[in-house]
Amino acid sequence: MQIHFPKRYQLVFDFSIWFIIFSLIIRIVFVAWQFSEVNTSIINLLQTFLYGLFFDLGVLTFVALINSFYLLMIPKKLIGSNLDKILIYFFFTLTILIFVFTFFAEITFWDEFKCRFNFVAVDYLIYTFEVVNNINESYPLVYLVPSMLLITFAILFWFKKRNSFKETFSAKTPFKTRFIVSGSTFLLAGFYVFFVKNADAEWSENRYNSEISKAGIYSFFAELRNNKLDYETFYTTLPKEKAFAIVHAKLQHSNTQFGSDPASIYRTINDSLDNNQRPNVVFVLMESMSAKFMREFGNDKQITPFMDKLAQESLLFSNLYATGTRTVRGMEAVTLSIPPTPGSSIVKRQENANLFTIASVFKQKNYQCNFFYGGDGYFDNMNAYFGGNGFDIYDRGRGSILSDKIKTNRHNITDEEVTFENAWGVCDEDIYKKLIAVADKNYAEKKPFLNFVMTTSNHKPYTYPDKKVAIPSGTGRNGAVQYADFALKQLFEKAKTKPWFANTIFVVIADHCASSAGKDEIDVANYHIPALIYGPNIPPQKVQKLCSQIDVFPTLFGLLNWKYESNFYGQNVLDTHFEPRTFVGTYLKLGYMKNDSIMVLSNQKKNHFYKWNKLTNSLSKLPINNSFLNEAISMYQTADYLYKNKKLVDK
């Protein structure tokens, strides 16, 4: 018996062919792009493209679901009518344009993140000002937009030549047939919704093969659904009592006194040498400043001469790793001193005010705490987080309004204070000038201060004031790094002329590396960042112990011999009892590393244990070490528990 395809569905059928062909082309482009790192064996490439086809069919299922519902509901007598033609022409053209735009967007997203759409793409939907301006400044839209429109109309012309529209408008498909097609599509869509996870595409040990297997649109909507992850639901757990017992044992030292709650890490850090030191602290969180940019760590391009000089005059953490791959992760790590919990950073979550942060410790010592950002602090929820946790805000307000629940003082950086600005905010020199002006004010008021500044210049589109450094503005990452280093030098030179400089400690650290992508689950080398502490009574030294961003402020408090209350996982790296370890993660993968061994917990309750080869930056699998696994689980599980159960609050 011959089966006839319903002609009413000719358009969606031809669309499916076009989409599969374009998706195949995109995958071939990505394979060629990462050719040196993709597993290119015939079997692996075949699996990559077959998995990709499976997820492409998932995308097409949802497109067909919408289409078949419309074709089911429209009365037979209206098929081919002007109304039918207007609706189909309009929405089909819009769909093609959206898909063409998505293919272009996937290429630019891959260029920056080396992966398919993930939670970052979801976040970017919220912050349209920064994202749209960044795209406008980074890419030649004057060519890209016409290209997208031209491709869209070329595709429409191709469909017209194939008589796809004619068949769709002329076929009087019976209701029964339309009902069967709609019902089948609905069942197939249900299969993808309830039984197919985006993580199912992660079949390969080579991360690039897995990412190429994914479909960008499918990944985007999967991340939209899964932007929040409950640790206990998705990750391996231990009994709560056992997990906290392990954590307590790791945090317990002779100068530590825990409270009575066994399901808490709140404790007192005692120091018999506390002599009431109250130096000012300037904390610089540098955008995307990978350790590999510095000569200190092997770079020969001379793009960080000042930081290299400063490293010789400071306490330098030479083996310190970022907890994540985004700015908000770095902020979370240094302010909350906590391992990265799965899903979004706590900085971006609801109910993240009145937490126990570094400001809690500084406020105990009567410090004025200020947060500086050269863009609008609405971006990434920064103003709500810092304002809700004891900081006054200085940002380039663009009309965003803080909730009345946030009790803080917000100050705008005015146009008169700006010499250069791009999509992300004012240049580093301008934000440092603002910091110095506020420091002068606090000093005049006899207030010790913590000035926390987030820089922006080392970010695409890599633009900065002309003729400041040898590499021209807008030409690439190296120029932005060189300018960031230059601006930092200007900060120090201006600060040295101030009366408060002699009693000020500078802490400089990166938020994350410039790139985090690699072929392994966790690309360890791309978490290595510079961190240093410079100031009076801070003898220059290189600390080579393996440590984390979360340890920087506890180490500073140790250097100051402070007695303080703590709700931190971070520890004083200089303490003789400190056990080297670090935390590295994505929003799904949670890594715990000691020496050259790393345990990776995944959101499918699967755990992998690796040996890291530092020379080749590669991971090789090891049999699971249960003691190591329990330690890793305990750190992440308890951190998630404390946040969810409001035990990270400031007492």
Side-chain angles (χ1 to χ4, degrees):
M1 183 178 71
Q2 187 176 5
I3 299 176
H4 295 282
F5 184 82
K7 295 298 184 182
R8 178 67 168 157
Y9 296 87
Q10 187 65 44
L11 193 59
V12 74
F13 179 77
D14 289 345
F15 172 85
S16 300
I17 294 173
W18 166 80
F19 176 73
I20 288 171
I21 291 171
F22 262 60
S23 294
L24 176 62
I25 292 171
I26 288 291
R27 287 194 177 89
I28 292 171
V29 168
F30 289 159
V31 168
W33 200 329
Q34 307 299 148
F35 191 77
S36 63
E37 296 178 275
V38 170
N39 187 327
T40 54
S41 70
I42 298 298
I43 293 177
N44 274 273
L45 282 180
L46 185 62
Q47 280 186 275
T48 299
F49 288 110
L50 286 177
Y51 268 90
L53 177 61
F54 177 76
F55 281 93
D56 289 342
L57 292 175
V59 174
L60 290 172
T61 296
F62 294 106
V63 174
L65 181 65
I66 299 170
N67 177 265
S68 62
F69 180 76
Y70 166 75
L71 297 183
L72 174 68
M73 298 306 295
I74 191 169
K76 190 174 181 179
K77 64 181 180 181
L78 290 179
I79 294 175
S81 66
N82 287 334
L83 176 64
D84 186 33
K85 289 178 180 179
I86 290 170
L87 290 174
I88 287 180
Y89 272 123
F90 176 77
F91 284 105
F92 185 75
T93 302
L94 181 63
T95 301
I96 292 291
L97 183 59
I98 290 172
F99 273 66
V100 169
F101 169 79
T102 301
F103 284 130
F104 272 80
E106 281 207 76
I107 291 172
T108 59
F109 196 82
W110 188 277
D111 179 41
E112 185 161 357
F113 298 103
K114 297 297 183 290
C115 65
R116 295 288 196 162
F117 291 144
N118 58 18
F119 74 107
V120 178
V122 175
D123 283 350
Y124 277 6
L125 278 182
I126 302 171
Y127 308 110
T128 53
F129 179 89
E130 288 82 359
V131 173
V132 170
N133 279 280
N134 181 46
I135 292 172
N136 185 44
E137 294 173 8
S138 302
Y139 300 99
L141 292 187
V142 67
Y143 300 113
L144 290 180
V145 172
S147 298
M148 286 188 286
L149 293 174
L150 185 63
I151 291 171
T152 299
F153 285 110
I155 293 166
L156 291 171
F157 180 75
W158 180 70
F159 283 126
K160 189 79 173 176
K161 292 288 287 183
R162 283 179 56 84
N163 291 322
S164 303
F165 291 104
K166 182 179 178 181
E167 296 282 5
T168 299
F169 295 138
S170 62
K172 304 291 183 179
T173 306
F175 179 81
K176 179 181 178 181
T177 303
R178 288 182 280 150
F179 182 80
I180 291 172
V181 172
S182 297
S184 301
T185 308
F186 181 81
L187 289 175
L188 189 56
F191 167 74
Y192 274 96
V193 168
F194 295 108
F195 298 103
V196 180
K197 299 175 182 177
N198 199 46
D200 292 333
E202 297 172 7
W203 57 274
S204 175
E205 291 186 3
N206 186 302
R207 193 190 65 84
Y208 286 116
N209 287 76
S210 294
E211 287 296 326
I212 294 170
S213 292
K214 295 176 181 177
I217 295 175
Y218 198 98
S219 293
F220 178 84
F221 284 100
E223 298 306 329
L224 197 62
R225 291 176 61 199
N226 299 322
N227 210 20
K228 296 179 181 178
L229 288 174
D230 178 70
Y231 183 92
E232 292 188 0
T233 301
F234 293 98
Y235 295 83
T236 308
T237 60
L238 293 173
K240 182 179 69 176
E241 295 76 16
K242 181 176 181 179
F244 272 101
I246 292 173
V247 172
H248 280 194
K250 294 298 176 183
L251 298 180
Q252 180 69 61
H253 300 307
S254 58
N255 66 339
T256 303
Q257 183 178 349
F258 281 95
S260 58
D261 185 356
S264 169
I265 64 166
Y266 196 84
R267 61 203 186 278
T268 301
I269 308 294
N270 294 294
D271 196 316
S272 59
L273 298 177
D274 192 342
N275 58 4
N276 205 36
Q277 291 186 72
R278 299 294 181 269
N280 307 304
V281 177
V282 172
F283 181 82
V284 182
L285 192 60
M286 299 190 76
E287 172 67 48
S288 304
M289 187 58 71
S290 305
K292 65 183 180 183
F293 293 142
M294 294 179 62
R295 185 184 62 200
E296 177 68 31
F297 300 105
N299 192 296
D300 60 359
K301 293 183 171 61
Q302 298 293 317
I303 53 177
T304 59
F306 178 71
M307 290 183 68
D308 287 317
K309 176 177 179 293
L310 192 64
Q312 308 309 313
E313 302 168 356
S314 307
L315 186 155
L316 174 69
F317 299 89
S318 63
N319 200 18
L320 183 144
Y321 291 78
T323 62
T325 61
R326 295 204 64 205
T327 295
V328 285
R329 276 297 182 205
M331 290 176 169
E332 173 190 84
V334 296
T335 57
L336 284 170
S337 190
I338 190 174
T341 52
S344 297
S345 163
I346 291 173
V347 173
K348 292 179 60 62
R349 297 189 199 179
Q350 300 297 317
E351 299 184 7
N352 65 2
N354 302 313
L355 302 179
F356 191 96
T357 68
I358 55 169
S360 305
V361 177
F362 281 100
K363 292 285 188 180
Q364 291 172 12
K365 311 292 184 183
N366 298 315
Y367 274 69
Q368 171 64 39
C369 300
N370 304 306
F371 171 67
F372 299 82
Y373 179 61
D376 190 327
Y378 167 74
F379 184 76
D380 269 348
N381 205 45
M382 286 187 275
N383 279 355
Y385 176 75
F386 283 95
N389 286 291
F391 288 84
D392 281 2
I393 306 295
Y394 293 84
D395 75 326
R396 187 79 165 125
R398 298 192 180 101
S400 62
I401 299 173
L402 274 172
S403 166
D404 291 338
K405 296 179 182 178
I406 306 297
K407 305 302 180 185
T408 187
N409 298 308
R410 185 183 182 189
H411 311 267
N412 279 356
I413 299 169
T414 65
D415 291 344
E416 291 72 25
E417 296 174 290
V418 178
T419 63
F420 183 90
E421 187 171 19
N422 64 18
W424 297 106
V426 304
C427 65
D428 289 357
E429 287 177 278
D430 288 344
I431 197 66
Y432 290 149
K433 287 175 186 175
K434 186 66 176 180
L435 180 150
I436 287 176
V438 175
D440 288 343
K441 177 175 177 291
N442 291 154
Y443 176 77
E445 296 169 346
K446 302 188 184 308
K447 292 180 181 177
F449 56 79
L450 164 64
N451 280 351
F452 185 125
V453 59
M454 177 70 226
T455 72
T456 58
S457 291
N458 185 22
H459 194 295
K460 216 167 196 175
Y462 312 128
T463 54
Y464 41 85
D466 290 330
K467 299 179 181 178
K468 296 287 185 175
V469 294
I471 303 174
S473 171
T475 57
R477 172 75 73 180
N478 284 346
V481 170
Q482 191 175 59
Y483 172 72
D485 179 77
F486 167 81
L488 186 68
K489 180 181 179 181
Q490 298 304 303
L491 167 65
F492 272 75
E493 289 185 349
K494 288 180 172 62
K496 285 178 180 178
T497 67
K498 302 296 181 178
W500 45 261
F501 177 80
N503 188 38
T504 300
I505 290 175
F506 290 79
V507 183
V508 180
I509 187 173
D511 56 353
H512 56 81
C513 283
S515 173
S516 61
K519 64 184 179 63
D520 294 316
E521 279 192 283
I522 297 285
D523 192 282
V524 179
N526 278 328
Y527 288 79
H528 185 208
I529 57 173
L532 54 87
I533 300 176
Y534 171 93
N537 304 317
I538 307 292
Q541 62 175 301
K542 289 185 183 179
V543 179
Q544 297 179 333
K545 298 177 187 176
L546 177 66
C547 57
S548 169
Q549 269 177 323
I550 72 173
D551 300 315
V552 171
F553 272 101
T555 301
L556 174 62
F557 299 152
L559 285 167
L560 296 175
N561 301 120
W562 278 2
K563 174 182 178 180
Y564 64 99
E565 304 302 308
S566 174
N567 213 6
F568 301 147
Y569 282 78
Q571 301 177 67
N572 179 3
V573 177
L574 302 178
D575 192 302
T576 55
H577 300 289
F578 177 79
E579 183 178 349
R581 52 83 190 103
T582 198
F583 304 88
V584 290
T586 66
Y587 69 111
L588 291 177
K589 309 287 186 180
L590 308 174
Y592 182 66
M593 189 166 76
K594 299 169 72 173
N595 299 317
D596 59 357
S597 299
I598 179 170
M599 186 71 69
V600 180
L601 314 180
S602 83
N603 60 315
Q604 297 172 294
K605 290 187 181 285
K606 295 178 181 178
N607 311 301
H608 300 133
F609 193 39
Y610 300 100
K611 180 181 179 65
W612 178 48
N613 185 320
K614 189 172 184 177
L615 292 177
T616 61
N617 188 32
S618 60
L619 300 179
S620 53
K621 271 193 173 180
L622 297 171
I624 291 290
N625 179 315
N626 288 322
S627 175
F628 200 123
L629 174 62
N630 288 344
E631 198 173 311
I633 291 170
S634 298
M635 293 295 178
Y636 286 109
Q637 179 182 333
T638 56
D640 186 75
Y641 171 87
L642 292 176
Y643 172 74
K644 284 198 312 180
N645 289 275
K646 298 181 173 29
K647 289 191 171 185
L648 291 180
V649 296
D650 189 351
K651 297 182 179 182

